[in-house]
Amino acid sequence: MKKKIIMLVAAFSVFAGVVSASSINGVYKGNAIVKVTVNGNEVKSEVPGINLDGTTMLPVRAVSEALGAEVKWDQNTYTAEIESSPTFKSLDEIARHLKNYNIHSVDYHTDGSGHTEFIAIYEGVFFMGNENEYNEAVKEIAKQAITLGTTDFIFADMLNQSIAGTTENARAFYNGKLTETQFLDTLIREDIEEESELDS
C-alpha cells in the first residue's frame, strides 16, 4: 500500500510539473495560452492563442490583421476569407508602391536603442482643407510601418510640416480596436498651416 501511495505522489508531481510548464502564460478554458508575436510585437485578442492537444491554435483575425491582411467572415457558409495585402521586401519596393499616394521618398531611421521610425516625404504640402488626400496616405504609411516592424512613423511634407504616429496605434486601427477617426486623432500634427497662410 505504501508503495502505491509513493508511486501516485510521484506521478502527480510529474503531471503538476507538466501543467505548470505548459501554462506559463495562463490557461484559457483548460488549455495553455500561447503568446503570439508579429515582428516582435505581441498580438492581443479577446480569445488568446492556445495549445490544444499539442497543436497551436491562433485567433485568425488578430494574427492576420497584425500582418496587414484583411479578414472577412461569411456567416452563410461559415467561412473566414483572408485577403493578404502586398508585401514588400525592401524600402525601394515600398517607395515605388507609395508613389501612388504622392510620396516622394521614404527612409528608415534607428537610434540603436530599439526605437525605429519609418519616414515618408509627401510631394505636396499639408494644409487644413486637403486632409482627405493625405489621410489616405497616412493610413497606407501606417500599414507599411507595421510591415517593417518600426515603433513609429513620420509623414512630412516639402515644408517640413509633419504628421507622426505610433505603429502600436496603427496596429490597433487595423485590428479594429480603434476607429479611423480615433486613429487619426492619435496622430501628432506639427506646424500645419491654413492654406491662405501658405499662399501669402
Side-chain angles (χ1 to χ4, degrees):
M1 181 69 177
K2 187 175 181 182
K3 187 176 180 182
K4 283 185 179 179
I5 292 172
I6 292 170
M7 288 178 68
L8 283 172
V9 169
F12 179 77
S13 298
V14 170
F15 177 73
V18 170
V19 170
S20 62
S22 64
S23 59
I24 190 170
N25 297 311
V27 176
Y28 179 79
K29 294 190 176 181
N31 299 291
I33 293 174
V34 176
K35 183 178 178 181
V36 182
T37 63
V38 172
N39 295 324
N41 298 294
E42 186 174 355
V43 176
K44 295 182 180 180
S45 61
E46 290 182 16
V47 177
I50 60 168
N51 184 313
L52 179 64
D53 298 327
T55 299
T56 301
M57 311 291 283
L58 302 177
V60 68
R61 180 177 296 279
V63 174
S64 297
E65 291 178 347
L67 291 166
E70 182 181 357
V71 180
K72 295 179 181 176
W73 173 251
D74 188 327
Q75 182 65 30
N76 295 324
T77 62
Y78 251 56
T79 303
E81 181 184 350
I82 302 171
E83 294 182 358
S84 61
S85 61
T87 56
F88 304 97
K89 297 178 182 177
S90 70
L91 280 177
D92 192 52
E93 288 177 289
I94 291 174
R96 281 197 298 272
H97 169 70
L98 290 177
K99 292 287 185 188
N100 298 321
Y101 296 86
N102 293 323
I103 304 301
H104 177 267
S105 58
V106 299
D107 202 357
Y108 178 97
H109 284 184
T110 179
D111 62 7
S113 70
H115 179 261
T116 52
E117 296 174 335
F118 175 52
I119 301 168
I121 307 299
Y122 188 53
E123 285 186 338
V125 173
F126 302 148
F127 58 83
M128 295 175 187
N130 73 340
E131 291 98 336
N132 288 342
E133 181 181 333
Y134 58 74
N135 280 345
E136 289 304 309
V138 168
K139 290 186 290 183
E140 189 61 27
I141 290 163
K143 185 183 287 186
Q144 298 310 319
I146 294 170
T147 301
L148 288 169
T150 61
T151 56
D152 299 283
F153 59 90
I154 298 173
F155 186 27
D157 70 4
M158 305 304 276
L159 296 179
N160 290 323
Q161 301 177 115
S162 66
I163 301 170
T166 68
T167 307
E168 181 181 356
N169 285 334
R171 193 174 286 106
F173 166 57
Y174 281 105
N175 285 342
K177 294 179 181 176
L178 290 178
T179 65
E180 180 175 333
T181 300
Q182 289 171 329
F183 167 61
L184 294 174
D185 284 345
T186 68
L187 302 176
I188 299 169
R189 301 166 189 261
E190 294 186 0
D191 302 323
I192 297 181
E193 306 287 348
E194 297 284 355
E195 183 178 12
S196 58
E197 293 179 16
L198 290 173
D199 291 339
S200 58

